[in-house]
Amino acid sequence: MQREEFLTSMRHLAASVSIISAKDSGGKPYAMTASSVTSLSMEPPSILVCVNKSAGIHKALSLGGGLCINILSKHQVDIANLCSSKDQENARFENNDWDNSELPFLKEAQSNIFCKIDQIIEYHTHSIVITKVVKAISVNSFNTLMYADGGYLD
Ligand SMILES: Cc1cc2nc3c(=O)[nH]c(=O)nc-3n(C[C@H](O)[C@H](O)[C@H](O)COP(=O)(O)O)c2cc1C
């Protein structure tokens, strides 16, 4: 398998864009743009997300710890860019987009899904993080930000 063959095929895999957010044991918040969020099961309600071990948020993920999955709205491209740019890692919470009361969550997302981490499976460069859903808040209308072919869709 050629690297380019794989990357080209993945450009055809359209995905919803989320920002996952968490706090470490010292209370420091982390956030990362992620398209690998997948619904896993209804019994129990569970979701998985694949996180690169080199991502800042990775060190804040632990069994039993909290994770919020914020499914982005189409107007949230700026925060998606902020949370996928390594050089802006320290600026991600310097705005009014967040509610930082407990587990940080994005106030204007399509959905905020509050989860508890149930399993972390290592796979080479990534960890597959399996979570149980504790609570979910959603807006009524569908307006989800999508990513495909190397860019955000209108
Ligand atoms: C649309 C989009 C989807 C992404 N999905 C994932 C993902 O599912 N898992 C992941 O580890 N990185 C993903 N990334 C890359 C991370 O957001 C990016 O590498 C980020 O800078 C890593 O976090 P850090 O800067 O805090 O280390 C995605 C980036 C974009 C633009």
Side-chain angles (χ1 to χ4, degrees):
M1 162 57 82
Q2 297 293 308
R3 181 183 162 84
E4 283 312 313
E5 275 175 26
F6 176 69
L7 292 176
T8 303
S9 68
M10 289 300 101
R11 290 175 78 95
H12 295 274
L13 185 64
S16 301
V17 183
S18 298
I19 289 178
I20 59 168
S21 48
K23 273 185 179 171
D24 69 13
S25 53
K28 185 179 174 199
Y30 291 84
M32 184 193 83
T33 303
S35 58
S36 60
V37 170
T38 302
S39 173
L40 178 56
S41 68
M42 185 65 241
E43 298 293 340
S46 58
I47 291 179
L48 70 79
V49 56
C50 304
V51 181
N52 196 309
K53 291 177 187 171
S54 68
I57 198 171
H58 193 272
K59 56 181 165 297
L61 306 177
S62 59
L63 292 180
L67 181 71
C68 187
I69 296 164
N70 305 275
I71 301 176
L72 297 188
S73 169
K74 282 183 180 152
H75 75 273
Q76 293 181 304
V77 172
D78 287 351
I79 186 101
N81 286 330
L82 182 62
C83 295
S84 57
S85 306
K86 200 91 186 159
D87 57 343
Q88 296 189 73
E89 201 174 351
N90 295 324
R92 290 182 189 160
F93 290 91
E94 289 172 4
N95 53 65
N96 289 323
D97 295 347
W98 295 96
D99 182 313
N100 287 306
S101 43
E102 207 179 315
L103 190 56
F105 67 92
L106 277 173
K107 288 182 280 192
E108 290 187 17
Q110 289 293 110
S111 294
N112 305 110
I113 308 172
F114 298 91
C115 304
K116 241 190 176 43
I117 298 173
D118 195 34
Q119 282 191 45
I120 300 177
I121 301 165
E122 289 195 39
Y123 189 77
H124 301 269
T125 53
H126 282 65
S127 291
I128 304 163
V129 180
I130 298 178
T131 70
K132 281 188 184 166
V133 178
V134 177
K135 181 176 133 183
I137 308 167
S138 299
V139 299
N140 287 327
S141 55
F142 179 82
N143 193 30
T144 298
L145 180 63
M146 304 285 295
Y147 190 87
D149 198 20
Y152 295 103
L153 306 183
D154 292 331

